Amino acid sequence: MKHLLETKHLLQARAVEFAYGSGPPVIRGVSLGVPAGSLCAVIGSNGCGKSTLVRLFAGLLAPGKGEILLGGEALRSIPRRLAARQVAYVPQTNRLAFPFTALEVVLAGRSPYTPRFRFENMHDRECALAALEAVEAVQLAGRRVTELSGGERQMVSVARALAQEPRCLLLDEPSAALDLKHRAMLVRTLAARRESQGLTALVVTHDLHLIDPVFDYVFALRCGELIAEGKPAEVLTGGVLASIYDDPYVRTRRVDGRTLIWSC
């Protein structure tokens, strides 16, 4: 893999600001670039703007100031259907209220490629099943999503995003409902797609122990501002973590190429 500084940015935020309604800014002048073919994490305390930033990159929100770029083009100028072939988004919560099967939900990820008023074809079905298999959830294909656990629903949502075959995957706390095994499996899946397909992934996470050494880059937010960015070993330090979590007791230690983190 090329050095990150030599790799073209797939997603960029340029001096982006955003506020909900007449409230204070949630994102404050953030400028950052997500390198193509990299696995990046966004970290920070609750309410610091992580989810808002990812939703801006997904095109679900429009910045009040600044610009979001996808492949060097203004995201707002790219037709939604074309943008959906480039970027897939997995939200923090799953609102799957209708009793569709897991396979039907994952097939919805093929909509950017399906002509209007036509059903999915065999290739779409194969893509959906392959996506379920990638997250070790193919056994759920025929089950109703209303009968699944929170963790199982989350894996179905990730599979739907993978079936979209995006260049970039945006995930907002995807491991929140997952057990330890499936959290590690999800990270391995993203890393494998990065290596085999050049997938770019931007992941909002509180699972700091899963970041190093698999992730390539980390962005740290505090009160809507980007206060640190770099390789995991450069950002996952006691000083940075104490600042973003407002916790003077946080401690870190490098052991066998990994960063151990605890608070005492």
Side-chain angles (χ1 to χ4, degrees):
M1 182 179 296
K2 295 181 179 179
H3 189 280
L4 291 177
L5 295 179
E6 299 173 354
T7 307
K8 181 180 179 181
H9 290 149
L10 180 59
L11 285 173
Q12 289 179 279
R14 290 184 177 175
V16 167
E17 291 195 9
F18 179 82
Y20 290 100
S22 59
V26 179
I27 299 295
R28 305 169 183 267
V30 169
S31 294
L32 62 83
V34 180
S38 66
L39 183 51
C40 301
V42 182
I43 65 172
S45 63
N46 294 331
C48 73
K50 303 185 300 299
S51 296
T52 299
L53 179 63
V54 171
R55 294 182 72 196
L56 285 162
F57 276 130
L60 299 175
L61 301 173
K65 295 181 180 179
E67 193 78 87
I68 299 292
L69 304 179
L70 171 60
E73 296 184 52
L75 181 59
R76 56 182 169 77
S77 69
I78 302 175
R80 293 290 298 174
R81 187 175 176 85
L82 294 181
R85 297 183 181 184
Q86 301 288 315
V87 179
Y89 168 68
V90 179
Q92 188 176 137
T93 57
N94 300 295
R95 296 181 176 88
L96 303 174
F98 296 98
F100 297 116
T101 67
L103 180 58
E104 289 171 334
V105 170
V106 177
L107 275 170
R110 300 298 300 165
S111 60
Y113 306 95
T114 306
R116 288 186 177 182
F117 311 116
R118 294 188 185 181
F119 293 105
E120 299 85 0
N121 57 30
M122 184 58 68
H123 174 67
D124 295 321
R125 183 181 176 86
E126 290 173 353
C127 289
L129 288 171
L132 281 167
E133 186 173 2
V135 297
E136 300 181 4
V138 71
Q139 73 280 2
L140 304 177
R143 292 184 57 188
R144 305 289 178 182
V145 291
T146 49
E147 301 170 355
L148 301 181
S149 69
E152 289 172 329
R153 288 189 182 197
Q154 188 69 353
M155 297 316 299
V156 170
S157 292
V158 174
R160 178 174 59 187
L162 291 176
Q164 205 168 315
E165 296 185 308
R167 293 177 63 195
C168 182
L169 191 55
L170 305 172
L171 304 103
D172 189 359
E173 296 191 37
S175 61
L178 303 181
D179 58 32
L180 183 60
K181 172 187 175 181
H182 288 92
R183 291 182 184 190
M185 180 276 297
L186 176 58
V187 172
R188 289 195 302 270
T189 299
L190 296 177
R193 292 286 175 117
R194 173 191 60 189
E195 299 303 325
S196 65
Q197 302 176 14
L199 177 71
T200 303
L202 184 64
V203 184
V204 172
T205 184
H206 288 297
D207 286 329
L208 303 184
H209 65 286
L210 293 178
I211 293 176
D212 196 6
V214 181
F215 281 67
D216 300 300
Y217 215 68
V218 181
F219 301 102
L221 296 184
R222 176 181 169 85
C223 300
E225 298 180 351
L226 180 67
I227 68 163
E229 61 176 304
K231 295 180 180 179
E234 299 168 346
V235 177
L236 300 180
T237 65
V240 172
L241 298 180
S243 176
I244 64 174
Y245 294 112
D246 194 23
D247 181 2
Y249 301 106
V250 68
R251 299 289 185 270
T252 65
R253 178 179 296 174
R254 295 285 295 173
V255 177
D256 296 331
R258 293 178 177 269
T259 302
L260 303 183
I261 303 168
W262 71 96
S263 182
C264 56

